[in-house]
Amino acid sequence: KKETMTRQVLLFICVLSVGSVLGQVSYTIPEEMAKGSLVGNIAHDLGLQTKRLTSGKARIFTRDSDQYIELNRERGVLLVKERIDREALCRQTTPCALHFQIILENPMEFYTVTVQITDINDNAPTFEKNEMRFKISESAVIGAKFVLKRAVDLDVGINDLKSYELKPTDNFALKLHNNADGNKNVEMVLQKPLDREKQEQISLVLTAVDGGEPQMSGTMLIVITVLDVNDNAPVFTQQTYKATVTENSPKGTVVATVTASDADQGSNGKITYSITNTLDDVGRVFEINEESGEVTLIGNIDFEESRNYQINLLASDEGGLTDSSKLIVDVQDVNDNKPEINIMSKSTVISEDAKLNTVVTMINIEDRDSGENGNVRCFINDNIPFTLKASTNNFYSLVTDSDLDRERASEYNISVTCSDEGVPSLSSSVTLTLQISDVNDNAPVFERSSYEAYIVENNTPGLSIFTVRAKDADWNQNARVSYILEDSSVNGVPVSSYVSVSADSGVIHAVRSFDYEQIKDFHFRVKAQDGGSPPLSSNVSVKIIIQDQNDNPPQVLYPVQTGGSLVAEMVPRSADVGYLVTKVVAVDVDSGQNAWLSYKLQKATDRALFEVGLQNGEIRTIRQVTDKDAVKQRLTVIVEDNGQPSRSATVIVNVAVADSFPEVLSEFTDFPDDKEYNDNLTFYLVLALAVVSFLFITCLVVIISVKIYRWRQSRVLYHSSLPVIPYYPPRYSDTLGTGTLPHVYNYEVCRTTDSRRSDCKFVDVDILTFIFHAHTCKFDDDCM
């Protein structure tokens, strides 16, 4: 809890240093700040308004892959985006800072921002090993020094390692030596002679303490085994060795050879060399031969990662006496990095009416090498209307230096090449593709001056009829054509209820199903409009022609088919060949060949007696009528149109072969009606009889129930009488009068789709009486 409070105090009392000289701003924040913490008001410090950050699409450009700071455009502030660990970011390097640029567009501007990260005490001192062992001769003189492993604290400044403490201090005292690099060598100094016979093994605890608040520490156990005799420690020939190695040197390269001497003889004078570096990369890059002291390369050397190494060396004899030294290795740079071209901001499209010196792209160049190997120059290809202008800190701007003309060149491939001054020189290049946008100066043009299309009637709504197309010589949005159906009316109805046009494709769709018999053709106009500002447009006239389809069957006008009476044509027995019996009249509301009608005799009582005219529908005799021919003749005529597929209608013609009406009347009583009609009539009569019977039984039951109820009320038994309910069949009639057929009778033509259900009205009352009587007799055995 104390550590958390300390961090919060550091967060709120951290001093923010702001500078805005030459477009540069600096801030100072502590490490380990929470995500979303405020770094600084960048808009205020740069003298910008927040709306400028939004309109300029302000953003952060950083050369590193990780981005720890983010920009809030709406508030105009910098916030912590990711957790910042100063030790992971900068290790021991101080000061530790993040460098990035803020880029704005329209017009393009950039500012350099530096955020310095200060250290907090979040790391305790740490020893590489928890235990260290020594073998010390009991003859070791007072003042003998024993080098101890140093503790490492990743923090810096006041939070770094501050002091050491050794306990107990009976035989040894702790001594610290300051090195030129600021580190301290920790030595254990013998201040009281050892006596192996009294104490063969001594255990000490070395504690390392830092200077942070709260204070943090680490410990290491020191185990000393007391030996005899060895009274001389190894001694290096130099306290500091220096060497130079070229980056990218192969593994196995000998960097340097160190030497130490020991005045003892035998095993006590045998020296062993080792590297004591901890918590850094030295152990992965270098190794030392334990016997010869030869330091060789075992890892990769990269000048851009580390420019020098400090190798801590230790010489130990068999008696446990040691001496320490260090080897400083300087890394020499070679030209092994190409210039890196970073596109900070670019425009892929520029208008052909752009002004001179319009910024197209901003480029940042970085070469990780140093000296001449890191000096970079950039240039672009010739004969293009652009130039490359250099600014500070390896930033370049690509700007226009002459007028643009889209009709001359609609696209430019600009090659940017950057080369360093190393030997040999290294270079990088990038190609930028720039489109030249057009101004809207061309209206859409239709492929035709007018359109005419055909559609068959009875189409499905939504059917595609045809397509109108228009082209625009402009480019991109200015050439994007939209199709619009202009407002007009067809027969007083808006044209939009007839057709629709697809705005993108120009496809004309039928909104409704057309009927040729109602409308033959209609006109409308379609407008093509581009997407420019302001838009340009043109229109075209379209004519839709409806084509007929065979969707209507022929309609028989004469003879009219009746549902409840018989109509007969009379043919005298003296009729000659070719006698006109009657004429079948039919029409078809379709047009063209769909309305061409033909007449055929489908069925006849005597096919050898009659024929039907194929084109005119006239029914004539084809032979002389004889006395043997039946009085009752029935003809079925089929009328077909010429459509595909063909549609048809049938008509039944009843013919009476007789010289007088009494002869006809004597035969008409037995004239066979249409079987379907008789069946239907029988069904209706039976149904009527059943309904009447049901009503009679129901009434009877009700009356009996009422009587029984009254009888029970009066308590009189067996004295009730049931009334007799007379039954009269519906439409009962006793009109069996007969009449004679007149020589002249008229028909009223009735138009129907079913010839057998057609209603025919007779003008003469006697005919109606005759027909009704003829049909009633079929169910009455006493007739005639």
Side-chain angles (χ1 to χ4, degrees):
K1 292 182 180 179
K2 184 177 182 181
E3 181 179 354
T4 304
M5 293 178 61
T6 303
R7 291 187 179 183
Q8 292 177 348
V9 171
L10 287 173
L11 176 62
F12 287 103
I13 69 173
C14 68
V15 179
L16 300 178
S17 60
V18 181
S20 58
V21 179
L22 296 178
Q24 294 186 355
V25 181
S26 298
Y27 299 94
T28 301
I29 62 173
E31 65 171 328
E32 303 293 343
M33 290 181 70
K35 292 182 181 179
S37 299
L38 177 67
V39 176
N41 191 329
I42 189 66
H44 175 270
D45 298 332
L46 291 177
L48 300 175
Q49 295 182 355
T50 55
K51 64 180 181 180
R52 169 60 180 139
L53 298 179
T54 303
S55 64
K57 299 178 180 179
R59 60 187 178 83
I60 291 177
F61 169 79
T62 177
R63 299 172 183 172
D64 300 324
S65 59
D66 296 325
Q67 186 172 334
Y68 297 94
I69 306 298
E70 66 178 354
L71 172 63
N72 187 308
R73 297 177 185 170
E74 289 74 21
R75 296 170 54 192
V77 296
L78 294 177
L79 305 176
V80 175
K81 182 179 181 182
E82 297 291 339
R83 169 183 172 270
I84 303 176
D85 186 356
R86 191 207 63 82
E87 289 74 31
L89 186 64
C90 300
R91 298 186 180 180
Q92 295 295 315
T93 302
T94 56
C96 179
L98 298 172
H99 303 277
F100 55 89
Q101 287 77 35
I102 293 181
I103 309 299
L104 290 90
E105 299 179 1
N106 299 321
M108 289 190 178
E109 299 176 293
F110 72 95
Y111 301 88
T112 300
V113 180
T114 301
V115 179
Q116 184 172 341
I117 312 302
T118 60
D119 183 55
I120 64 173
N121 191 29
D122 58 344
N123 292 282
T126 306
F127 291 92
E128 182 183 14
K129 296 181 180 180
N130 296 328
E131 180 178 315
M132 190 173 182
R133 292 182 175 274
F134 289 92
K135 294 180 180 180
I136 303 176
S137 173
E138 65 177 346
S139 61
V141 296
I142 296 176
K145 297 181 296 182
F146 305 92
V147 179
L148 302 178
K149 295 282 187 180
R150 292 185 299 178
V152 175
D153 194 331
L154 297 179
D155 296 321
V156 296
I158 193 174
N159 298 321
D160 198 358
L161 185 64
K162 181 179 180 182
S163 61
Y164 292 88
E165 183 179 6
L166 183 65
K167 290 184 180 180
T169 57
D170 296 335
N171 297 95
F172 295 91
L174 198 62
K175 187 175 182 181
L176 304 178
H177 292 284
N178 293 325
N179 292 334
D181 59 359
N183 294 321
K184 295 181 179 180
N185 283 340
V186 184
E187 295 180 342
M188 183 174 60
V189 180
L190 183 64
Q191 62 179 1
K192 180 180 178 180
L194 300 176
D195 188 353
R196 187 184 65 83
E197 288 70 27
K198 290 184 178 180
Q199 190 175 9
E200 186 176 359
Q201 193 173 68
I202 301 174
S203 296
L204 305 176
V205 176
L206 178 64
T207 303
V209 182
D210 65 18
E213 183 63 32
Q215 197 173 55
M216 305 180 76
S217 62
T219 60
M220 180 178 66
L221 177 64
I222 301 174
V223 179
I224 300 173
T225 302
V226 181
L227 304 176
D228 287 331
V229 179
N230 188 25
D231 55 354
N232 289 287
V235 178
F236 278 102
T237 56
Q238 298 179 31
Q239 287 298 312
T240 301
Y241 294 90
K242 292 186 177 182
T244 302
V245 62
T246 303
E247 70 169 325
N248 301 327
S249 295
K251 296 179 181 180
T253 300
V254 177
V255 178
T257 301
V258 297
T259 305
S261 60
D262 193 314
D264 294 326
Q265 294 182 348
S267 61
N268 291 329
K270 186 178 180 180
I271 299 175
T272 301
Y273 299 95
S274 62
I275 297 176
T276 62
N277 290 72
T278 59
L279 303 178
D280 55 21
D281 296 335
V282 171
R284 294 194 298 269
V285 180
F286 303 95
E287 72 175 0
I288 189 171
N289 189 299
E290 292 183 353
E291 296 181 357
S292 65
E294 192 176 73
V295 178
T296 58
L297 193 64
I298 61 172
N300 296 322
I301 291 288
D302 189 351
F303 176 82
E304 287 70 40
E305 290 186 1
S306 181
R307 301 190 176 190
N308 57 69
Y309 293 90
Q310 177 176 311
I311 305 175
N312 297 320
L313 304 173
L314 184 68
S316 305
D317 61 16
E318 292 289 334
L321 300 179
T322 61
D323 190 18
S324 61
S325 180
K326 61 183 178 181
L327 171 63
I328 304 299
V329 179
D330 292 325
V331 181
Q332 290 183 338
D333 182 43
V334 297
N335 191 26
D336 60 341
N337 289 283
K338 293 181 180 180
E340 295 181 6
I341 303 176
N342 300 308
I343 307 299
M344 298 172 54
S345 180
K346 68 176 182 178
S347 300
T348 58
V349 178
I350 185 172
S351 176
E352 65 175 335
D353 58 355
K355 298 180 180 179
L356 297 180
N357 294 321
T358 298
V359 178
V360 176
T361 301
M362 295 192 69
I363 302 174
N364 172 254
I365 310 300
E366 182 181 3
D367 195 317
R368 299 180 64 192
D369 295 322
S370 63
E372 293 184 351
N373 296 332
N375 293 334
V376 180
R377 293 181 180 180
C378 298
F379 55 90
I380 61 175
N381 47 313
D382 299 328
N383 301 321
I384 58 174
F386 303 95
T387 187
L388 199 62
K389 290 186 177 181
S391 58
T392 58
N393 298 329
N394 289 331
F395 284 90
Y396 290 84
S397 298
L398 181 67
V399 299
T400 58
D401 67 345
S402 62
D403 294 332
L404 303 176
D405 187 357
R406 193 194 75 88
E407 286 68 33
R408 184 178 60 192
S410 61
E411 179 180 284
Y412 288 96
N413 291 320
I414 305 171
S415 178
V416 180
T417 303
C418 298
S419 303
D420 60 27
E421 297 180 358
V423 179
S425 176
L426 299 178
S427 64
S428 298
S429 63
V430 64
T431 300
L432 306 175
T433 300
L434 184 63
Q435 302 283 344
I436 309 302
S437 64
D438 189 33
V439 294
N440 190 29
D441 55 354
N442 292 281
V445 177
F446 282 97
E447 294 177 347
R448 302 179 189 175
S449 58
S450 63
Y451 290 88
E452 186 175 282
Y454 296 85
I455 183 172
V456 180
E457 66 170 332
N458 301 319
N459 59 286
T460 20
L463 177 68
S464 172
I465 303 176
F466 76 110
T467 303
V468 295
R469 288 188 176 88
K471 295 183 180 179
D472 196 309
D474 293 324
W475 179 74
N476 203 5
Q477 185 68 23
N478 294 332
R480 186 172 297 168
V481 179
S482 299
Y483 301 91
I484 303 169
L485 182 65
E486 290 191 347
D487 292 335
S488 62
S489 61
V490 177
N491 298 330
V493 179
V495 72
S496 58
S497 65
Y498 284 82
V499 293
S500 67
V501 59
S502 174
D504 296 329
S505 62
V507 177
I508 306 295
H509 295 274
V511 174
R512 62 168 63 176
S513 178
F514 296 111
D515 188 353
Y516 175 83
E517 286 70 39
Q518 294 181 1
I519 183 171
K520 302 295 188 294
D521 60 68
F522 60 94
H523 297 77
F524 59 91
R525 299 186 71 82
V526 175
K527 180 171 70 174
Q529 179 174 289
D530 62 25
S533 180
L536 301 177
S537 63
S538 61
N539 51 38
V540 68
S541 176
V542 181
K543 180 180 181 182
I544 303 296
I545 300 174
I546 314 299
Q547 292 181 325
D548 183 46
Q549 191 180 44
N550 191 25
D551 57 343
N552 293 285
Q555 303 287 330
V556 179
L557 302 180
Y558 182 83
V560 178
Q561 302 295 287
T562 61
S565 351
L566 291 177
V567 180
E569 302 288 347
M570 285 191 61
V571 177
R573 293 189 180 274
S574 59
D576 294 330
V577 177
Y579 176 83
L580 178 61
V581 179
T582 187
K583 181 176 181 179
V584 177
V585 180
V587 294
D588 195 316
V589 295
D590 293 323
S591 65
Q593 66 176 9
N594 295 329
W596 298 348
L597 302 180
S598 60
Y599 303 84
K600 298 177 183 178
L601 185 60
Q602 187 179 40
K603 292 188 299 182
T605 305
D606 188 351
R607 278 187 171 269
L609 182 57
F610 302 98
E611 68 176 359
V612 179
L614 181 62
Q615 303 298 331
N616 54 24
E618 293 179 349
I619 301 177
R620 294 181 181 271
T621 58
I622 57 177
R623 65 175 174 81
Q624 179 72 40
V625 179
T626 65
D627 295 336
K628 296 181 179 180
D629 292 325
V631 175
K632 298 171 289 185
Q633 298 285 337
R634 178 171 176 159
L635 309 178
T636 303
V637 179
I638 182 168
V639 185
E640 294 182 338
D641 59 25
N642 199 33
Q644 292 295 331
S646 175
R647 291 179 174 265
S648 64
T650 59
V651 59
I652 297 175
V653 180
N654 295 313
V655 179
V657 181
D659 291 326
S660 62
F661 281 102
E663 183 181 357
V664 175
L665 292 175
S666 64
E667 295 291 339
F668 247 77
T669 56
D670 296 326
F671 202 100
D673 280 327
D674 182 76
K675 184 178 183 302
E676 180 182 353
Y677 172 75
N678 292 336
D679 293 341
N680 290 340
L681 183 58
T682 302
F683 171 77
Y684 293 140
L685 292 175
V686 172
L687 180 61
L689 181 60
V691 171
V692 171
S693 301
F694 173 78
L695 293 175
F696 172 77
I697 295 173
T698 302
C699 292
L700 192 61
V701 171
V702 170
I703 292 173
I704 294 174
S705 300
V706 172
K707 289 297 183 180
I708 293 175
Y709 177 78
R710 290 179 178 178
W711 169 75
R712 286 185 177 179
Q713 292 292 331
S714 62
R715 298 180 180 274
V716 179
L717 301 175
Y718 307 109
H719 291 288
S720 63
S721 61
L722 295 177
V724 178
I725 301 175
Y727 169 70
Y728 300 96
R731 298 185 181 180
Y732 178 80
S733 176
D734 193 19
T735 57
L736 297 178
T738 60
T740 60
L741 282 171
H743 293 285
V744 179
Y745 51 94
N746 297 322
Y747 295 99
E748 180 179 340
V749 178
C750 304
R751 187 176 172 183
T752 179
T753 57
D754 188 349
S755 61
R756 290 171 296 182
R757 292 287 181 260
S758 300
D759 295 329
C760 291
K761 298 180 181 178
F762 290 80
V763 176
D764 196 297
V765 179
D766 290 340
I767 296 299
L768 293 173
T769 304
F770 169 76
I771 298 302
F772 176 79
H773 179 67
H775 282 284
T776 307
C777 290
K778 289 183 177 290
F779 304 96
D780 191 352
D781 295 336
D782 298 330
C783 287
M784 296 182 69

